[in-house]
Amino acid sequence: MNNSLWNGSLWLAWRQQRVLVGVGAAVLVVVGAVAAYSRAGILGDLRSGLFDHCDPGPLSCTGSGTGLPLLLDIEPLRYLGVLNLALPVLIGVFWGAPLLGRDRELGTHRTVLVQGVSRGQWFTSRFALAAVSTVVLSGLLAGVFAWWWRPAADRSYGLFWYENTVLGGSGPRVVAAALFGLAAGTLLGLLARRVLAAMSLTLLVTGGMTLLLEWAHRTRLLVPSRTYISAGSAPKEPMGDKWSAGHYGLITASGRRDDVLSCPYPSGAELRRCMAEGGYVSRFYEANPAGDYWAFQWTDTAVLGGLALLLTAATVLLLRRRV
């Protein structure tokens, strides 16, 4: 890196973003301390033997003699998942939108450009520093979540992999989403005449994308569910840690699938009689196995990462026209 870049545009970028970098570092310190304390409590509860009689399925585990549900204290972990889900919105609004937009609104970018700094250097220094900081912050937050969640993963007394705070708040998706938020905010900050307007638009875009992906998860739009079939009236394969798609039913000899309410009996002679009368030869349900966690993760990462690259490219192309 040449000295003129460091002494000029990059130094100014650091001066403008150091408060945000400091806030990110402070958040990491607080989250790390809370995670270490809470995880120690979770491990202590698990080692106490209180949950030894619990099956690893989705059904609630109750205390011996009380009948009350047994749960680990995972609420702080949920809060981290919510924070990670909101990260693209927060970074896009408070970091991305002002990144170029503040200089454009105040006109201070002209002072920088007349001092021999090119538009490319002006953009690159700001965006590179913000992007590196975003990757470090989001990556560490996702890593802390995974480390904290592991002892309580996929247990009735913990958190299952398909809960939105886990599926959307952990893994490489968090990093891609944060970069998408930064790229969206940066582009909108370049296009809008006022930073406040850019922040509002960024809130709509990043929040809308977060909700859209949550809807895609629920509807299995990007990662289809799998069908599990049991012959005759034999017990269906246990759901376990699968994520049910909510589709249950019966299959005739010709392959036609009917809703489960066609024979609303869980088992026994009534179920067998109903299946015989309706010509049903098997039952089925649709769900995603726990291994699909990574299919959801990499699909979301590809979508959000690809959008981040496209928005960044659009920013570079529009830079000469807008600055």
Side-chain angles (χ1 to χ4, degrees), residues 71-126:
L71 295 170
L72 291 169
D73 183 16
I74 43 81
E75 283 307 305
L77 177 59
R78 290 185 192 273
Y79 293 146
L80 176 56
V82 172
L83 173 63
N84 287 351
L85 269 171
L87 208 57
V89 179
L90 296 173
I91 288 177
V93 170
F94 297 106
W95 205 326
L99 193 65
L100 305 181
R102 183 73 67 191
D103 277 359
R104 288 199 68 236
E105 181 176 345
L106 299 176
T108 50
H109 65 289
R110 297 190 184 94
T111 305
V112 176
L113 295 177
V114 297
Q115 293 179 358
V117 177
S118 68
R119 290 180 178 84
Q121 288 178 332
W122 177 71
F123 167 74
T124 301
S125 58
R126 280 155 179 72

Side-chain angles (χ1 to χ4, degrees), residues 41 66 79 86 98 209 223 230 244 284 320:
T66 66
Y79 293 146
M209 178 55 67
V223 182
S230 58
S244 172
F284 76 94
R320 183 172 293 277

Side-chain angles (χ1 to χ4, degrees), residues 1-73:
M1 182 181 300
N2 60 61
N3 289 332
S4 62
L5 178 58
W6 168 248
N7 292 331
S9 187
L10 188 57
W11 177 85
L12 182 58
W14 167 249
R15 292 272 298 178
Q16 292 176 331
Q17 299 181 50
R18 60 184 177 179
V19 173
L20 291 171
V21 173
V23 170
V27 168
L28 283 173
V29 170
V30 172
V31 168
V34 173
Y37 176 81
S38 178
R39 190 176 188 272
I42 289 174
L43 291 175
D45 289 341
L46 291 174
R47 290 167 183 158
S48 69
L50 185 64
F51 297 90
D52 287 353
H53 66 287
C54 298
D55 293 327
L59 300 179
S60 298
C61 179
T62 57
S64 302
T66 66
L68 298 175
L70 285 176
L71 295 170
L72 291 169
D73 183 16

